[in-house]
C-alpha cells in the first residue's frame, strides 16, 4: 500500500515517539496533522520540519484525548484542512505512578483515548459512513511482556487493555463492516526517555519494603535495552505497509518490527 499523499492524524505528537512517527511519515510523503494538548510545541515541531524537509504538508491543532468534543474537532480539522483522512495514530499516553491521585487520568488517557480515537476513526474513515477505509495504529509498550518490571501497574494494565481492545475490535468480521484496520505497535524504550520513566510515587508509604521495591524498579529500568527513535518511526511505516487488522507488532533492539502471537 503506497503511503504518498495519504493523511495521518497523530495524537501525542510532541512526545519522543510521536515526533519519530511524524518524522518518518513526512519522509514518506504523508500529510500529517499533529495533535497534542501542547499546541505551542506542535507548532514549534511543525516549523522545524518545514525547515528540514521540502514539499511537506503539515498542520497542528490542540487535542485533549479525554475531551470528546475537542478530540472530534481534531478529526474535523484534519478533513477540512487536508480534504481526507487515511491513518489515525493513537499515541497519546501518560506514565504516572501516583496511583491514589492519578489512576483515573491514566485510564482515561491511555485506554479511554484509544477507544475514543478508534471509534472516531471508524466514524470518519469507515466505508458505511462515506469514508474509504483506513488504518488505526495504537501505541502500547514492550514492557507489557516483561515480568521483571513492577512499577506503575496502572500504566501497564492500560497498555495491556489497549492490546486486547485492538485484538477484539480488529477482528476480520469488524473490518469487513467498516474497512478500517486496527493494529497495535509495542515499542521498546527510546534511549533518551528511558531515565525519565523511573518510578516515583509520592503517595507510597515510606517503609523498607517500598524503598526496596523502588530501588529494584530503578535498577531494572537502568538495565533495560533502548533503541533509537528513528527505528520506531521506521517500524510504523513497515506496519502501515504490511500489517493486518487485529495484529500486534513489537519493535526492539534497533531491529525491524516483528509480528507476535499472544
Amino acid at each position: 500500500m503506497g503511503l504518498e499523499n495519504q493523511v495521518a492524524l497523530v495524537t501525542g505528537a510532541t512526545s519522543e515517539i510521536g515526533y519519530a512517527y511524524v518524522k518518518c511519515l513526512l519522509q514518506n510523503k504523508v500529510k500529517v496533522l499533529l495533535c497534542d494538548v501542547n499546541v505551542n510545541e506542535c507548532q514549534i515541531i511543525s516549523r522545524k520540519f518545514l525547515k528540514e524537509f521540502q514539499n511537506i504538508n503539515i498542520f497542528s491543532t490542540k487535542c485533549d484525548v479525554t475531551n470528546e468534543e475537542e478530540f472530534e474537532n481534531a478529526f474535523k480539522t484534519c478533513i477540512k484542512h487536508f480534504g481526507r483522512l487515511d491513518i489515525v495514530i493513537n499515541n497519546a499516553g501518560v506514565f504516572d505512578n501516583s496511583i491514589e491521585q492519578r489512576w483515573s487520568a491514566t485510564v482515561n488517557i491511555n485506554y479511554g483515548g484509544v477507544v475514543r480515537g478508534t471509534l472516531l476513526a471508524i466514524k470518519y474513515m469507515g466505508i458505511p459512513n462515506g469514508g474509504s477505509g483506513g488504518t488505526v495504529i495504537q501505541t502500547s509498550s514492550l514492557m507489557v511482556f516483561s515480568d521483571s518490571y513492577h512499577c506503575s501497574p496502572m500504566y501497564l494494565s492500560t497498555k495491556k487493555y489497549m492490546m486486547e481492545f485492538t485484538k477484539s475490535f480488529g477482528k476480520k468480521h469488524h473490518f469487513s463492516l467498516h474497512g478500517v484496520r486496527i493494529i497495535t505497535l509495542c515499542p521498546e524504550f527510546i534511549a533518551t526517555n528511558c531515565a525519565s520513566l523511573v518510578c516515583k510515587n509520592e503517595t507510597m508509604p515510606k517503609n523498607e519494603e517500598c524503598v526496596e521495591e523502588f530501588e529494584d524498579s530503578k535498577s531494572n529500568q537502568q538495565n533495560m535495552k533502548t533503541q533509537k527513535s528513528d527505528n520506531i518511526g521506521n517500524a510504523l511505516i513497515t506496519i502501515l505497509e504490511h500489517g493486518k487488522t487485529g495484529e500486534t507488532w513489537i519493535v526492539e533492539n534497533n531491529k525491524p518490527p516483528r509480528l507476535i502471537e499472544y
Side-chain angles (χ1 to χ4, degrees):
M1 179 181 69
L3 296 177
E4 187 171 352
N5 292 322
Q6 289 199 23
V7 175
L9 182 157
V10 181
T11 69
T14 66
S15 69
E16 291 182 86
I17 290 178
Y19 183 95
Y21 285 161
V22 172
K23 180 180 179 180
C24 283
L25 287 167
L26 292 172
Q27 288 174 330
N28 283 270
K29 309 299 183 183
V30 177
K31 303 171 185 178
V32 184
L33 176 69
L34 282 68
C35 301
D36 202 284
V37 291
N38 189 344
V39 68
N40 291 331
E41 185 65 23
C42 281
Q43 293 168 350
I44 291 171
I45 292 172
S46 294
R47 290 193 291 269
K48 179 180 183 301
F49 283 135
L50 285 168
K51 291 180 179 180
E52 184 175 350
F53 301 118
Q54 294 182 342
N55 302 319
I56 64 169
N57 202 330
I58 188 171
F59 196 63
S60 59
T61 189
K62 184 177 183 297
C63 179
D64 178 351
V65 299
T66 69
N67 184 317
E68 294 187 10
E69 182 178 1
E70 189 167 290
F71 204 173
E72 183 160 13
N73 282 339
F75 279 75
K76 294 177 180 178
T77 297
C78 186
I79 293 172
K80 181 179 180 180
H81 183 79
F82 294 113
R84 59 186 290 176
L85 177 61
D86 306 284
I87 302 164
V88 173
I89 301 176
N90 288 317
N91 178 62
V94 60
F95 187 102
D96 193 328
N97 201 46
S98 303
I99 298 173
E100 296 176 13
Q101 297 178 355
R102 294 273 297 168
W103 71 266
S104 59
T106 300
V107 173
N108 201 11
I109 296 170
N110 291 3
Y111 183 65
V114 165
V115 174
R116 294 183 193 94
T118 301
L119 295 178
L120 284 168
I122 291 172
K123 178 178 180 179
Y124 285 93
M125 299 192 301
I127 294 172
N129 302 321
S132 302
T135 303
V136 176
I137 303 292
Q138 332 280 31
T139 302
S140 184
S141 171
L142 190 66
M143 287 195 300
V144 301
F145 299 104
S146 173
D147 293 328
S148 62
Y149 195 89
H150 307 296
C151 192
S152 194
M154 293 308 303
Y155 173 82
L156 292 176
S157 61
T158 54
K159 292 299 184 178
K160 287 185 178 180
Y161 295 156
M162 177 195 304
M163 290 167 53
E164 290 301 324
F165 175 79
T166 297
K167 188 175 182 180
S168 299
F169 225 71
K171 290 183 182 297
K172 292 181 180 180
H173 168 72
H174 294 296
F175 175 75
S176 68
L177 297 177
H178 47 66
V180 177
R181 293 184 301 167
I182 306 173
I183 304 169
T184 297
L185 174 59
C186 299
E188 184 182 36
F189 276 124
I190 293 177
T192 53
N193 73 2
C194 182
S196 67
L197 297 181
V198 172
C199 172
K200 294 181 180 178
N201 188 342
E202 299 300 331
T203 67
M204 290 175 61
K206 300 300 187 285
N207 56 44
E208 292 183 4
E209 182 179 352
C210 289
V211 171
E212 182 178 355
E213 182 178 350
F214 172 79
E215 292 301 328
D216 287 345
S217 297
K218 183 177 179 180
S219 177
N220 286 339
Q221 189 162 318
Q222 289 173 340
N223 291 329
M224 281 184 176
K225 297 177 180 178
T226 59
Q227 66 180 324
K228 296 179 180 179
S229 59
D230 284 351
N231 195 58
I232 296 178
N234 290 329
L236 171 68
I237 302 304
T238 298
I239 293 167
L240 286 171
E241 293 178 335
H242 303 291
K244 297 179 181 179
T245 189
E247 292 180 340
T248 293
W249 292 65
I250 66 174
V251 56
E252 59 182 337
N253 300 329
N254 290 310
K255 295 180 180 179
R258 57 186 175 90
L259 176 66
I260 65 164
E261 298 289 342
Y262 69 98

